Amino acid sequence: MFALADYLLHPEGDALPRDVDAQTVAALLARGVACRAPVSGAVYGTLLNDRAALQALGEAVHAAPYKAPPKAPILYLKPRNTLAGHRARVVVPDNALGVEVGASLGIVIGRTATRVGASEAFGYIAGYTLVADLSVPHASVYRPSVRFRARDGFCVIGPAVAAARHVAAPDALSIEVALGGREVFTANTASSVRNVAQLIADVTDFMTLNAGDVITLGVPHGSPVAHVGDTATLSIGGLPPLEVSFVGAKEHAGEQP
């Protein structure tokens, strides 16, 4: 069982995450506290769960080898090396390409979920968090490459997990990514092909999700691309905003994890 009362966050230097109220979260973040990822379970990204992303593919979804839009969720694993927390400094592998900054709602599972119906799905959710699902921009859609999506620090989570009761309408949350002096990127969880409950139902139809696991609702189409020197601030609904900085390999060298 993964349960929390209010907001779970893991300040750098603390041995364990804290379950605290909203005022404490706000005070800590206002002081500029960096955090570790507040969760330690498996993290699964969801691909092509955004209507605009499917539309952008056009007739390509009907071409070989698949010949049709996906009939089940397309998942990929964000392995342990990718996990990072609020105010992480992430290395940009190739500054010419940059790093796509995908702001995604993270659904934190509260108890073992196997073949859960959509009508029951919310009873299996402990809370929600913000996930910066990072990737090197690439054209491959159906076969996500490990080297594009599983670089060190390419899954920034937090700053906190908000208990499910604090997020009344997860399928209608505004999404924003502020990146440098550029226009703020905006989207909404309402554009998802599968909403939160249906995604859990469809995923648990073929695999078990365990307490503490995180599954993302998916990255919005057209997410912005960061380069060395950029700092991104990601916001989803009323969740505490998440900050990520992007650095070059030389600047990152010698830092402690």
Side-chain angles (χ1 to χ4, degrees):
M1 177 74 74
F2 182 94
L4 62 155
D6 268 308
Y7 292 85
L8 188 73
L9 80 163
H10 191 171
E12 284 282 3
D14 283 13
L16 297 170
R18 305 184 199 174
D19 192 341
V20 297
D21 59 27
Q23 286 185 321
T24 303
V25 172
L28 285 168
L29 297 180
R31 283 167 33 200
V33 169
C35 301
R36 296 181 181 272
V39 293
S40 57
V43 181
Y44 302 95
T46 304
L47 196 66
L48 292 181
N49 195 38
D50 180 73
R51 289 191 182 91
L54 276 176
Q55 291 169 0
L57 290 176
E59 289 303 310
V61 296
H62 299 285
Y66 301 101
K67 301 182 180 179
K71 294 181 174 60
I74 302 173
L75 304 182
Y76 52 91
L77 183 66
K78 299 295 276 195
R80 187 172 297 277
N81 69 293
T82 66
L83 300 186
H86 177 60
R87 305 191 75 200
R89 290 157 56 85
V90 177
V91 172
V92 178
D94 181 341
N95 201 42
L97 292 173
V99 173
E100 182 181 350
V101 184
S104 186
L105 182 67
I107 306 158
V108 184
I109 302 301
R111 58 194 177 102
T112 303
T114 303
R115 296 191 180 278
V116 173
S119 62
E120 306 169 307
F122 286 112
Y124 288 79
I125 298 172
Y128 301 92
T129 190
L130 213 159
V131 178
D133 188 349
L134 309 179
S135 68
V136 175
H138 57 284
S140 174
V141 175
Y142 286 102
R143 294 187 177 96
S145 173
V146 169
R147 67 190 179 94
F148 293 144
R149 293 187 178 271
R151 300 269 181 162
D152 292 351
F154 265 33
C155 186
V156 188
I157 303 178
V161 178
R165 65 187 177 84
H166 292 305
V167 184
D171 295 311
L173 299 177
S174 60
I175 299 172
E176 293 187 353
V177 180
L179 191 59
R182 286 172 255 175
E183 183 178 354
V184 175
F185 172 82
T186 61
N188 197 289
T189 59
S191 69
S192 301
V193 175
R194 291 175 174 83
N195 61 23
V196 170
Q198 193 62 53
L199 180 63
I200 290 174
D202 288 352
V203 169
T204 61
D205 185 57
F206 63 83
M207 63 180 280
T208 295
L209 294 173
N210 292 299
D213 286 350
V214 179
I215 184 164
T216 73
L217 193 57
V219 171
H221 178 64
S223 294
V225 175
H227 297 273
V228 172
D230 285 337
T231 294
T233 301
L234 293 74
S235 304
I236 296 183
L239 295 172
L242 179 64
E243 185 179 297
V244 188
S245 296
F246 296 89
V247 300
K250 291 182 179 179
E251 186 178 356
H252 189 266
E255 289 187 353
Q256 298 299 311

mmCIF file of all heavy atoms in Angstrom, residues 161-195:
data_model
loop_
_atom_site.group_PDB
_atom_site.id
_atom_site.type_symbol
_atom_site.label_atom_id
_atom_site.label_comp_id
_atom_site.label_asym_id
_atom_site.label_seq_id
_atom_site.Cartn_x
_atom_site.Cartn_y
_atom_site.Cartn_z
ATOM 1 N N VAL A 161 4.277 14.622 -4.431
ATOM 2 C CA VAL A 161 3.088 13.861 -4.810
ATOM 3 C C VAL A 161 1.926 14.433 -4.004
ATOM 4 O O VAL A 161 1.991 14.488 -2.770
ATOM 5 C CB VAL A 161 3.232 12.358 -4.498
ATOM 6 C CG1 VAL A 161 1.943 11.618 -4.863
ATOM 7 C CG2 VAL A 161 4.421 11.759 -5.235
ATOM 8 N N ALA A 162 0.901 14.893 -4.682
ATOM 9 C CA ALA A 162 -0.294 15.400 -4.000
ATOM 10 C C ALA A 162 -1.282 14.261 -3.822
ATOM 11 O O ALA A 162 -1.553 13.504 -4.773
ATOM 12 C CB ALA A 162 -0.939 16.515 -4.817
ATOM 13 N N ALA A 163 -1.809 14.107 -2.618
ATOM 14 C CA ALA A 163 -2.822 13.081 -2.377
ATOM 15 C C ALA A 163 -3.973 13.256 -3.368
ATOM 16 O O ALA A 163 -4.325 14.382 -3.749
ATOM 17 C CB ALA A 163 -3.337 13.172 -0.946
ATOM 18 N N ALA A 164 -4.552 12.140 -3.794
ATOM 19 C CA ALA A 164 -5.581 12.168 -4.844
ATOM 20 C C ALA A 164 -6.723 13.129 -4.503
ATOM 21 O O ALA A 164 -7.288 13.768 -5.397
ATOM 22 C CB ALA A 164 -6.118 10.762 -5.070
ATOM 23 N N ARG A 165 -7.036 13.291 -3.233
ATOM 24 C CA ARG A 165 -8.155 14.151 -2.847
ATOM 25 C C ARG A 165 -7.919 15.618 -3.184
ATOM 26 O O ARG A 165 -8.862 16.414 -3.248
ATOM 27 C CB ARG A 165 -8.459 13.998 -1.353
ATOM 28 C CG ARG A 165 -7.353 14.471 -0.421
ATOM 29 C CD ARG A 165 -7.657 14.139 1.030
ATOM 30 N NE ARG A 165 -6.592 14.526 1.933
ATOM 31 C CZ ARG A 165 -6.443 15.742 2.430
ATOM 32 N NH1 ARG A 165 -7.337 16.683 2.140
ATOM 33 N NH2 ARG A 165 -5.445 16.021 3.257
ATOM 34 N N HIS A 166 -6.640 15.992 -3.402
ATOM 35 C CA HIS A 166 -6.319 17.375 -3.743
ATOM 36 C C HIS A 166 -6.497 17.669 -5.236
ATOM 37 O O HIS A 166 -6.394 18.830 -5.645
ATOM 38 C CB HIS A 166 -4.878 17.698 -3.349
ATOM 39 C CG HIS A 166 -4.636 17.728 -1.873
ATOM 40 N ND1 HIS A 166 -5.360 18.522 -1.011
ATOM 41 C CD2 HIS A 166 -3.733 17.059 -1.099
ATOM 42 C CE1 HIS A 166 -4.929 18.339 0.228
ATOM 43 N NE2 HIS A 166 -3.953 17.461 0.201
ATOM 44 N N VAL A 167 -6.716 16.641 -6.039
ATOM 45 C CA VAL A 167 -6.847 16.823 -7.495
ATOM 46 C C VAL A 167 -8.221 16.310 -7.897
ATOM 47 O O VAL A 167 -8.397 15.130 -8.201
ATOM 48 C CB VAL A 167 -5.724 16.088 -8.250
ATOM 49 C CG1 VAL A 167 -5.824 16.362 -9.748
ATOM 50 C CG2 VAL A 167 -4.348 16.510 -7.730
ATOM 51 N N ALA A 168 -9.180 17.198 -7.916
ATOM 52 C CA ALA A 168 -10.575 16.791 -8.119
ATOM 53 C C ALA A 168 -10.872 16.407 -9.566
ATOM 54 O O ALA A 168 -11.729 15.560 -9.820
ATOM 55 C CB ALA A 168 -11.500 17.927 -7.677
ATOM 56 N N ALA A 169 -10.183 17.033 -10.519
ATOM 57 C CA ALA A 169 -10.504 16.807 -11.932
ATOM 58 C C ALA A 169 -9.217 16.574 -12.732
ATOM 59 O O ALA A 169 -8.795 17.441 -13.501
ATOM 60 C CB ALA A 169 -11.276 17.987 -12.492
ATOM 61 N N PRO A 170 -8.596 15.412 -12.583
ATOM 62 C CA PRO A 170 -7.320 15.168 -13.268
ATOM 63 C C PRO A 170 -7.418 15.159 -14.786
ATOM 64 O O PRO A 170 -6.403 15.309 -15.473
ATOM 65 C CB PRO A 170 -6.898 13.792 -12.739
ATOM 66 C CG PRO A 170 -8.170 13.138 -12.304
ATOM 67 C CD PRO A 170 -9.019 14.253 -11.773
ATOM 68 N N ASP A 171 -8.618 15.018 -15.325
ATOM 69 C CA ASP A 171 -8.796 14.990 -16.778
ATOM 70 C C ASP A 171 -9.105 16.358 -17.361
ATOM 71 O O ASP A 171 -9.490 16.469 -18.531
ATOM 72 C CB ASP A 171 -9.902 14.000 -17.148
ATOM 73 C CG ASP A 171 -9.529 12.568 -16.786
ATOM 74 O OD1 ASP A 171 -8.412 12.147 -17.137
ATOM 75 O OD2 ASP A 171 -10.344 11.881 -16.145
ATOM 76 N N ALA A 172 -8.922 17.403 -16.581
ATOM 77 C CA ALA A 172 -9.157 18.767 -17.077
ATOM 78 C C ALA A 172 -8.169 19.728 -16.420
ATOM 79 O O ALA A 172 -8.553 20.763 -15.877
ATOM 80 C CB ALA A 172 -10.589 19.195 -16.811
ATOM 81 N N LEU A 173 -6.887 19.383 -16.480
ATOM 82 C CA LEU A 173 -5.847 20.209 -15.854
ATOM 83 C C LEU A 173 -5.048 20.950 -16.924
ATOM 84 O O LEU A 173 -4.639 20.370 -17.929
ATOM 85 C CB LEU A 173 -4.893 19.335 -15.035
ATOM 86 C CG LEU A 173 -5.492 18.545 -13.875
ATOM 87 C CD1 LEU A 173 -4.422 17.679 -13.227
ATOM 88 C CD2 LEU A 173 -6.114 19.484 -12.846
ATOM 89 N N SER A 174 -4.809 22.233 -16.687
ATOM 90 C CA SER A 174 -3.967 23.003 -17.596
ATOM 91 C C SER A 174 -2.510 22.571 -17.440
ATOM 92 O O SER A 174 -2.067 22.193 -16.355
ATOM 93 C CB SER A 174 -4.090 24.495 -17.303
ATOM 94 O OG SER A 174 -3.684 24.772 -15.965
ATOM 95 N N ILE A 175 -1.775 22.596 -18.544
ATOM 96 C CA ILE A 175 -0.360 22.235 -18.571
ATOM 97 C C ILE A 175 0.413 23.420 -19.126
ATOM 98 O O ILE A 175 0.021 24.000 -20.154
ATOM 99 C CB ILE A 175 -0.112 21.003 -19.476
ATOM 100 C CG1 ILE A 175 -0.891 19.794 -18.955
ATOM 101 C CG2 ILE A 175 1.375 20.684 -19.580
ATOM 102 C CD1 ILE A 175 -0.862 18.602 -19.903
ATOM 103 N N GLU A 176 1.508 23.805 -18.461
ATOM 104 C CA GLU A 176 2.339 24.902 -18.949
ATOM 105 C C GLU A 176 3.807 24.533 -18.812
ATOM 106 O O GLU A 176 4.210 23.896 -17.832
ATOM 107 C CB GLU A 176 2.081 26.192 -18.175
ATOM 108 C CG GLU A 176 0.698 26.785 -18.387
ATOM 109 C CD GLU A 176 0.545 28.147 -17.732
ATOM 110 O OE1 GLU A 176 1.473 28.571 -16.989
ATOM 111 O OE2 GLU A 176 -0.498 28.793 -17.953
ATOM 112 N N VAL A 177 4.602 24.939 -19.811
ATOM 113 C CA VAL A 177 6.054 24.828 -19.737
ATOM 114 C C VAL A 177 6.630 26.190 -20.088
ATOM 115 O O VAL A 177 6.479 26.655 -21.228
ATOM 116 C CB VAL A 177 6.613 23.764 -20.694
ATOM 117 C CG1 VAL A 177 8.136 23.687 -20.567
ATOM 118 C CG2 VAL A 177 5.989 22.398 -20.431
ATOM 119 N N ALA A 178 7.247 26.838 -19.106
ATOM 120 C CA ALA A 178 7.910 28.118 -19.320
ATOM 121 C C ALA A 178 9.392 27.846 -19.512
ATOM 122 O O ALA A 178 10.032 27.231 -18.657
ATOM 123 C CB ALA A 178 7.681 29.037 -18.131
ATOM 124 N N LEU A 179 9.938 28.302 -20.638
ATOM 125 C CA LEU A 179 11.312 27.980 -20.995
ATOM 126 C C LEU A 179 12.015 29.250 -21.460
ATOM 127 O O LEU A 179 11.750 29.763 -22.552
ATOM 128 C CB LEU A 179 11.315 26.927 -22.107
ATOM 129 C CG LEU A 179 12.614 26.247 -22.479
ATOM 130 C CD1 LEU A 179 13.227 25.521 -21.277
ATOM 131 C CD2 LEU A 179 12.382 25.243 -23.600
ATOM 132 N N GLY A 180 12.878 29.780 -20.584
ATOM 133 C CA GLY A 180 13.602 30.997 -20.922
ATOM 134 C C GLY A 180 12.651 32.145 -21.209
ATOM 135 O O GLY A 180 11.622 32.295 -20.562
ATOM 136 N N GLY A 181 12.991 32.951 -22.206
ATOM 137 C CA GLY A 181 12.151 34.087 -22.548
ATOM 138 C C GLY A 181 11.145 33.786 -23.626
ATOM 139 O O GLY A 181 10.516 34.688 -24.185
ATOM 140 N N ARG A 182 10.951 32.496 -23.933
ATOM 141 C CA ARG A 182 10.033 32.123 -25.001
ATOM 142 C C ARG A 182 8.576 32.125 -24.540
ATOM 143 O O ARG A 182 8.289 32.131 -23.353
ATOM 144 C CB ARG A 182 10.397 30.730 -25.532
ATOM 145 C CG ARG A 182 11.648 30.714 -26.385
ATOM 146 C CD ARG A 182 12.058 29.298 -26.719
ATOM 147 N NE ARG A 182 13.209 28.862 -25.934
ATOM 148 C CZ ARG A 182 13.690 27.645 -25.964
ATOM 149 N NH1 ARG A 182 13.129 26.729 -26.704
ATOM 150 N NH2 ARG A 182 14.747 27.334 -25.241
ATOM 151 N N GLU A 183 7.688 32.088 -25.509
ATOM 152 C CA GLU A 183 6.267 32.018 -25.189
ATOM 153 C C GLU A 183 5.989 30.729 -24.428
ATOM 154 O O GLU A 183 6.513 29.671 -24.758
ATOM 155 C CB GLU A 183 5.454 32.043 -26.481
ATOM 156 C CG GLU A 183 3.949 32.043 -26.262
ATOM 157 C CD GLU A 183 3.166 32.126 -27.564
ATOM 158 O OE1 GLU A 183 3.791 32.305 -28.621
ATOM 159 O OE2 GLU A 183 1.927 31.991 -27.504
ATOM 160 N N VAL A 184 5.150 30.834 -23.408
ATOM 161 C CA VAL A 184 4.833 29.678 -22.577
ATOM 162 C C VAL A 184 4.060 28.648 -23.400
ATOM 163 O O VAL A 184 3.068 28.982 -24.063
ATOM 164 C CB VAL A 184 4.026 30.101 -21.334
ATOM 165 C CG1 VAL A 184 3.586 28.880 -20.531
ATOM 166 C CG2 VAL A 184 4.847 31.043 -20.452
ATOM 167 N N PHE A 185 4.528 27.408 -23.353
ATOM 168 C CA PHE A 185 3.810 26.315 -24.018
ATOM 169 C C PHE A 185 2.622 25.920 -23.153
ATOM 170 O O PHE A 185 2.744 25.753 -21.935
ATOM 171 C CB PHE A 185 4.743 25.115 -24.204
ATOM 172 C CG PHE A 185 4.047 23.875 -24.695
ATOM 173 C CD1 PHE A 185 3.785 23.699 -26.045
ATOM 174 C CD2 PHE A 185 3.647 22.880 -23.804
ATOM 175 C CE1 PHE A 185 3.139 22.551 -26.504
ATOM 176 C CE2 PHE A 185 3.008 21.735 -24.250
ATOM 177 C CZ PHE A 185 2.744 21.579 -25.605
ATOM 178 N N THR A 186 1.453 25.734 -23.775
ATOM 179 C CA THR A 186 0.251 25.368 -23.025
ATOM 180 C C THR A 186 -0.425 24.151 -23.648
ATOM 181 O O THR A 186 -0.375 23.941 -24.866
ATOM 182 C CB THR A 186 -0.762 26.528 -22.976
ATOM 183 O OG1 THR A 186 -1.166 26.862 -24.303
ATOM 184 C CG2 THR A 186 -0.146 27.752 -22.307
ATOM 185 N N ALA A 187 -1.036 23.362 -22.808
ATOM 186 C CA ALA A 187 -1.806 22.195 -23.234
ATOM 187 C C ALA A 187 -2.798 21.886 -22.117
ATOM 188 O O ALA A 187 -2.945 22.665 -21.164
ATOM 189 C CB ALA A 187 -0.888 21.008 -23.519
ATOM 190 N N ASN A 188 -3.478 20.745 -22.226
ATOM 191 C CA ASN A 188 -4.458 20.380 -21.208
ATOM 192 C C ASN A 188 -4.601 18.863 -21.181
ATOM 193 O O ASN A 188 -4.532 18.209 -22.235
ATOM 194 C CB ASN A 188 -5.817 21.026 -21.505
ATOM 195 C CG ASN A 188 -6.733 21.036 -20.299
ATOM 196 O OD1 ASN A 188 -7.237 19.995 -19.885
ATOM 197 N ND2 ASN A 188 -6.948 22.205 -19.717
ATOM 198 N N THR A 189 -4.781 18.298 -20.000
ATOM 199 C CA THR A 189 -4.947 16.842 -19.911
ATOM 200 C C THR A 189 -6.236 16.381 -20.607
ATOM 201 O O THR A 189 -6.400 15.191 -20.892
ATOM 202 C CB THR A 189 -4.960 16.363 -18.453
ATOM 203 O OG1 THR A 189 -6.035 16.995 -17.746
ATOM 204 C CG2 THR A 189 -3.637 16.683 -17.753
ATOM 205 N N ALA A 190 -7.141 17.314 -20.897
ATOM 206 C CA ALA A 190 -8.386 16.954 -21.582
ATOM 207 C C ALA A 190 -8.134 16.468 -23.006
ATOM 208 O O ALA A 190 -9.025 15.867 -23.622
ATOM 209 C CB ALA A 190 -9.332 18.148 -21.598
ATOM 210 N N SER A 191 -6.941 16.704 -23.543
ATOM 211 C CA SER A 191 -6.639 16.273 -24.914
ATOM 212 C C SER A 191 -6.197 14.814 -24.985
ATOM 213 O O SER A 191 -5.874 14.309 -26.068
ATOM 214 C CB SER A 191 -5.548 17.169 -25.514
ATOM 215 O OG SER A 191 -4.310 16.942 -24.868
ATOM 216 N N SER A 192 -6.203 14.116 -23.857
ATOM 217 C CA SER A 192 -5.749 12.729 -23.838
ATOM 218 C C SER A 192 -6.723 11.807 -24.563
ATOM 219 O O SER A 192 -7.942 11.954 -24.454
ATOM 220 C CB SER A 192 -5.587 12.239 -22.388
ATOM 221 O OG SER A 192 -4.665 13.051 -21.691
ATOM 222 N N VAL A 193 -6.171 10.850 -25.305
ATOM 223 C CA VAL A 193 -6.998 9.838 -25.969
ATOM 224 C C VAL A 193 -7.684 8.981 -24.913
ATOM 225 O O VAL A 193 -8.891 8.715 -24.979
ATOM 226 C CB VAL A 193 -6.138 8.961 -26.899
ATOM 227 C CG1 VAL A 193 -6.968 7.830 -27.504
ATOM 228 C CG2 VAL A 193 -5.501 9.816 -27.991
ATOM 229 N N ARG A 194 -6.898 8.500 -23.957
ATOM 230 C CA ARG A 194 -7.435 7.753 -22.812
ATOM 231 C C ARG A 194 -7.335 8.647 -21.584
ATOM 232 O O ARG A 194 -6.257 9.139 -21.256
ATOM 233 C CB ARG A 194 -6.638 6.475 -22.565
ATOM 234 C CG ARG A 194 -6.805 5.424 -23.636
ATOM 235 C CD ARG A 194 -5.889 4.234 -23.372
ATOM 236 N NE ARG A 194 -6.130 3.146 -24.317
ATOM 237 C CZ ARG A 194 -5.598 3.106 -25.544
ATOM 238 N NH1 ARG A 194 -4.768 4.072 -25.937
ATOM 239 N NH2 ARG A 194 -5.874 2.111 -26.351
ATOM 240 N N ASN A 195 -8.442 8.843 -20.872
ATOM 241 C CA ASN A 195 -8.371 9.621 -19.639
ATOM 242 C C ASN A 195 -7.721 8.781 -18.546
ATOM 243 O O ASN A 195 -7.326 7.624 -18.774
ATOM 244 C CB ASN A 195 -9.754 10.144 -19.237
ATOM 245 C CG ASN A 195 -10.758 9.025 -18.973
ATOM 246 O OD1 ASN A 195 -10.383 7.884 -18.678
ATOM 247 N ND2 ASN A 195 -12.034 9.352 -19.073
#
